[in-house]
Amino acid sequence: MTHKKITRLPKDPGPAAWNQIIEPEAGYDSISKDIEADWAIVGGGWAGLAAARRLSQLLPSDEKIVVLEAKRLAEGPAGRNSGFMIDLPHDLNSDTYAGSNESDLKQIKLNRHAIDFAEAAANEYGMPKAVFSRKGKITAASTEQGIEHIESYSKHLIDIGEAFSFKSAEEMLDITGSNFYIKGLQTEGGAMVQPAAFIRALGKGLSGRVEIYENSPVIELKTGTPHVLSTPAGKVKARNIILAVNGHIQSFGFYPKRLLHVFTFASMTRKLTPSELKVLGGQSDWGILPADPMGTTVRKISNYSGSGDRIIIRNLATLNQSLEAPAADMRRAKAMQDKSFDARFPMLKGVEMEHRWGGRLCLSMNSMPAFGELEDRVWSACCQNGLGTVKGTLSGIAAAELAVLGSSDLLTDFLDHQAPSKLPPEPFLSLGANMTMRWKQWQAGKEL
Ligand SMILES: Cc1cc2nc3c(=O)[nH]c(=O)nc-3n(C[C@H](O)[C@H](O)[C@H](O)COP(=O)(O)OP(=O)(O)OC[C@H]3O[C@@H](n4cnc5c(N)ncnc54)[C@H](O)[C@@H]3O)c2cc1C
């Protein structure tokens, strides 16, 4: 039995820009009185909403499902990311994203299951291509060292039977309008999303079947029969709970000293003018992942729902075991991102960044999720190890299937993992990890 007061609530630095640039929407009520539910999902991100959708497919319609979100949907990391749903190996602990052949093949199958699930939701809820589109990704290099990375990655793709094509410097220029990239590696099979618009549309699509409560942080958990979740203005009594709060599972008292809380940061330009777009050239919408995992991710988006055409730059990773990022990290990110933007887009000199923000990821030392039944009828679908749009979706589906079905084809593959391993003690962990990340960022050199 757990009785835990949750004192640490999510804090995300800066605005949720992807959410701010599209038409505002009426939100969902917060919990204002005591209610009862069959299923309570805590967290309205990728994992929480996937769990809600899968439960709604598996359960009879009279079973009540509620989602409790501390903030508004798409305000947290779910709506702050770069929107790459990647099917292929994307191990952030590896220099080239690749892992072992056997584990990568299993992960690809699982990742594609999650992307198919997201695509089915996108189709069912009528999301346009600007919100979800099934298209590949380009990993691009701007240095000889970067080329070595993508060539080594391409050999791994050959080993595991995955198709790819190389892009020349001229082709990269045609796509991006920038002559920064000297070689690219294109793969098909992933998806690109406008993360905030996707999360909002998913919530809206589910809301006929699932009760969503925003601004309803869970501040106390008492497990039992029933479990009781307290929010500031009302309690939820539920037979079943799925905790889908990513790294904040630790704030609920679970997985102590096993989770790494990494922040990464992004900047978004103001709307580009027609003359700036003309000077830039290239295609209207594209996304580039860096050849070096510590490099810079860039996206260019065209107007959708009033967003305008903009460029988004993401880099810098810092470990903050307090689950909060200090202002100094935001300042460092600003300096790095301005430099990265200028290096890629000298023709857009003087274009200001309108939004700057950061967000949390949860990683474990052995890249394992914090997943499974924690106590009787309390499940965790947390710690997505970076690729949370996909792995969050996957863990939400898997938690629902484990809770309702007990076994499934997906679970046979998904449950084949260990628990997150124990972390080294502080201050060695934070000092060591931040120094290593700084070193790797420095080594990434011009790829930043
Ligand atoms: C700048 C940036 C770029 C990124 N780019 C990518 C990318 O391109 N592709 C990719 O796959 N991933 C990317 N990520 C990572 C991805 O966003 C996360 O891994 C993903 O959001 C995790 O999904 P989740 O549902 O597990 O957790 P979250 O999205 O964090 O959702 C958990 C929710 O739980 C809520 N919560 C926490 N505590 C409580 C509580 N006590 N009560 C109620 N609710 C609570 C939070 O408010 C939050 O909304 C990026 C992240 C950042 C910050």
Side-chain angles (χ1 to χ4, degrees), residues 80-159:
R80 289 172 174 257
N81 58 70
S82 304
F84 288 83
M85 293 193 86
I86 299 170
D87 56 337
L88 292 171
H90 196 75
D91 184 349
L92 296 178
N93 286 327
S94 153
D95 284 345
T96 62
Y97 300 114
S100 75
N101 288 3
E102 195 196 342
S103 70
D104 280 353
L105 282 169
K106 193 180 288 173
Q107 195 61 54
I108 292 169
K109 185 174 156 204
L110 288 168
N111 290 353
R112 289 188 177 146
H113 186 90
I115 298 172
D116 289 348
F117 182 88
E119 184 174 31
N123 291 339
E124 188 178 331
Y125 305 142
M127 297 185 209
K129 286 231 170 306
V131 177
F132 179 99
S133 73
R134 194 79 193 231
K135 69 175 183 194
K137 64 173 172 62
I138 300 178
T139 306
S142 54
T143 59
E144 287 306 317
Q145 187 187 318
I147 291 181
E148 273 171 36
H149 280 198
I150 56 177
E151 285 180 349
S152 149
Y153 186 71
S154 73
K155 290 194 184 103
H156 183 61
L157 293 179
I158 293 170
D159 283 350

Side-chain angles (χ1 to χ4, degrees), residues 6 8-10 12 42-48 68-72 76-86 216-219 244-246 248 252 263-266 289 297 314 357-362 381-384 386-392 395:
I6 293 106
R8 193 174 279 163
L9 293 174
D12 303 295
V42 185
W46 293 86
L68 307 174
E69 167 53 47
K71 306 173 125 189
R72 293 206 51 193
R80 289 172 174 257
N81 58 70
S82 304
F84 288 83
M85 293 193 86
I86 299 170
S216 301
V218 172
I219 51 172
V245 291
N246 211 12
H248 271 281
F252 284 73
F263 280 72
T264 186
F265 302 83
L289 289 165
T297 304
R314 184 216 57 85
W357 71 97
R360 264 167 297 112
L361 313 175
C362 178
C382 298
C383 194
Q384 323 303 359
L387 190 57
T389 60
V390 172
K391 291 190 181 173
S395 66

Side-chain angles (χ1 to χ4, degrees), residues 337-350:
Q337 286 158 15
D338 286 351
K339 200 168 156 203
S340 305
F341 182 81
D342 290 347
R344 284 159 179 80
F345 307 108
M347 70 297 266
L348 296 179
K349 199 163 175 49

Side-chain angles (χ1 to χ4, degrees), residues 133-276:
S133 73
R134 194 79 193 231
K135 69 175 183 194
K137 64 173 172 62
I138 300 178
T139 306
S142 54
T143 59
E144 287 306 317
Q145 187 187 318
I147 291 181
E148 273 171 36
H149 280 198
I150 56 177
E151 285 180 349
S152 149
Y153 186 71
S154 73
K155 290 194 184 103
H156 183 61
L157 293 179
I158 293 170
D159 283 350
I160 58 175
E162 285 294 331
F164 65 88
S165 60
F166 283 120
K167 298 269 173 218
S168 66
E170 293 73 39
E171 287 170 306
M172 292 306 302
L173 175 64
D174 285 346
I175 295 167
T176 63
S178 164
N179 58 13
F180 183 80
Y181 298 106
I182 53 178
K183 188 161 185 167
L185 180 145
Q186 173 141 34
T187 53
E188 307 300 334
M192 295 295 291
V193 296
Q194 202 293 15
F198 180 89
I199 289 291
R200 267 166 41 170
L202 184 54
K204 197 169 175 189
L206 286 168
S207 60
R209 169 69 181 91
V210 174
E211 286 179 21
I212 297 175
Y213 293 94
E214 292 183 322
N215 298 316
S216 301
V218 172
I219 51 172
E220 189 175 358
L221 167 69
K222 215 169 170 180
T223 59
T225 317
H227 307 302
V228 183
L229 296 155
S230 302
T231 71
K235 294 185 194 313
V236 179
K237 287 187 183 159
R239 253 185 325 118
N240 306 281
I241 295 178
I242 296 178
L243 295 170
V245 291
N246 211 12
H248 271 281
I249 188 74
Q250 194 183 295
S251 313
F252 284 73
F254 300 106
Y255 301 98
K257 300 197 171 84
R258 283 177 191 265
L259 306 180
L260 296 163
H261 307 292
V262 171
F263 280 72
T264 186
F265 302 83
S267 297
M268 181 186 272
T269 66
R270 60 161 166 74
K271 290 180 184 179
L272 299 176
T273 63
S275 59
E276 285 162 350

